[in-house]
Amino acid sequence: MKALVVCLDGMSGVLLSGPAVRAVAAGAEHVTLLCSPRGEAAAALLPGVDEVLVWDAPWEGARPPTVDEADVDGLLRRLREAAYDVALVVPTSARGPLPIALLLRMAHVHRIGAEGVDHPATLVDVSHPRLPGRHDAEAGLDLAAALGFAPRAGDDGRPRILPAPDTSGLTGNGPYVVLHPGAGAPERRWGAGRAAETVALLADAGHRVVVTGGPDESGLCREVSGGTAVDLGGRTGLRTLAGVVRAADVVVAGDTGPAHLAAATGTPVVSVRSPAVSAERRDPYGVPAALLGGPGGATPQDVLRAVRSLMRQGVA
């Protein structure tokens, strides 16, 4: 059986699709993950994926391509040539499944499953309602089960990634806390001043701090590090970042992507939410976590207390 798992979301959605991907892989001979360019690096880290197919959908992301730029005909040609037996459209917090379900039907995918209760039977063979209170990772497993895919025995259903590299050459020896101040969406970004104050507070409390960020966040990370923390801003791809967060005592992040990456490596997370952000469906899953935020936002003192709490619990 050839299976297609579709997740056109970014890094967070792809990482949370991992449990469903592994369930599908337990019952299929070949699994392809169709993802967006924003999720491609994360897709390469997922166990159970045999092939990654990248497509930029004209309805996804902050700056979607035009229909012509998206080359819908090219996608349909590739899907038809692959001749998939089944497709699972992973539940996400973004757009609904119907646009991609239509394309999958046009590509002659035999059986299509998606979350929802009122999808046309001409487009979706298995419409599975989301159960109350289900996290996105759990909802993906629920949908996989509705399509007949069960996890392998012993699979705990948590997000996981392939083994991460040893990054002690970057971080130095000894325990440390990771602080990731950047974010793809403006509403998730820390102010540089608040993040720098948090670094100083953690360092004064005896924690060695490693600051991480993407290629376009080098200046932010330099400012936040302030000569106190190890500055890895712009120096890590996603797989290397996975190694950095895997070896950390705790990861402190405002953006969901790094938080989910840490959780997928088994590292406890302090998730610092903006007051404007509510993401219960996408809280760090499967690891001890502290969720900070509220009308006034989280303070550096809140972060320090959360880090100490996780470490006192003996989980870091």
Side-chain angles (χ1 to χ4, degrees):
M1 179 190 296
K2 291 187 69 174
L4 180 71
V5 177
V6 180
C7 182
L8 298 177
D9 203 353
M11 183 169 91
S12 293
V14 169
L15 291 171
L16 291 177
S17 77
V21 168
R22 298 197 308 271
V24 172
E29 287 77 30
H30 187 278
V31 177
T32 298
L33 180 62
L34 173 61
C35 67
S36 74
R38 298 174 296 127
E40 181 179 6
L45 299 180
L46 293 186
V49 174
D50 298 299
E51 179 185 9
V52 176
L53 179 59
V54 181
W55 183 61
D56 204 0
W59 60 81
E60 292 285 353
R63 298 179 183 84
T66 65
V67 172
D68 288 340
E69 291 169 341
D71 187 17
V72 175
D73 290 339
L75 174 70
L76 290 174
R77 182 174 59 253
R78 295 173 71 179
L79 295 177
R80 286 168 182 158
E81 290 172 353
Y84 293 105
D85 299 295
V86 63
L88 181 155
V89 183
V90 173
T92 72
S93 300
R95 304 291 191 271
L98 291 186
I100 191 63
L102 173 61
L103 295 183
L104 295 174
R105 188 62 79 200
M106 292 171 66
H108 311 309
V109 176
H110 293 167
R111 194 160 179 258
I112 301 167
E115 184 179 276
V117 294
D118 56 357
H119 302 320
T122 52
L123 296 184
V124 177
D125 300 289
V126 177
S127 289
H128 185 73
R130 178 183 287 254
L131 300 176
R134 298 297 269 176
H135 192 280
D136 277 2
E138 298 169 324
L141 279 173
D142 293 342
L143 179 58
L147 277 169
F149 295 105
R152 286 188 173 89
D155 191 323
D156 60 9
R158 298 179 181 183
R160 291 206 312 266
I161 60 170
L162 296 169
D166 180 356
T167 54
S168 57
L170 288 172
T171 61
N173 295 319
Y176 58 88
V177 172
V178 165
L179 188 141
H180 192 98
E187 66 270 16
R188 296 187 186 275
R189 292 173 190 157
W190 291 35
R194 182 177 58 155
E197 185 182 346
T198 302
V199 167
L201 199 61
L202 288 167
D204 287 345
H207 300 285
R208 199 162 65 92
V209 183
V210 174
V211 175
T212 59
D216 58 345
E217 295 170 339
S218 298
L220 170 65
C221 293
R222 190 180 311 113
E223 182 178 354
V224 169
S225 299
T228 301
V230 177
D231 178 9
L232 296 184
R235 297 174 58 192
T236 60
L238 194 60
R239 185 167 181 268
T240 304
L241 180 59
V244 172
V245 299
R246 176 187 60 82
D249 288 335
V250 178
V251 170
V252 182
D255 205 10
T256 55
H260 291 308
L261 183 65
T265 69
T267 300
V269 176
V270 176
S271 179
V272 184
R273 290 179 180 167
S274 159
V277 174
S278 177
E280 289 81 4
R281 286 171 50 164
R282 292 204 166 181
D283 287 338
Y285 186 81
V287 296
L291 309 176
L292 304 182
T299 67
Q301 291 77 16
D302 293 330
V303 173
L304 176 60
R305 282 191 291 268
V307 169
R308 283 176 166 171
S309 175
L310 289 175
M311 296 184 72
R312 277 198 304 267
Q313 294 170 34
V315 297

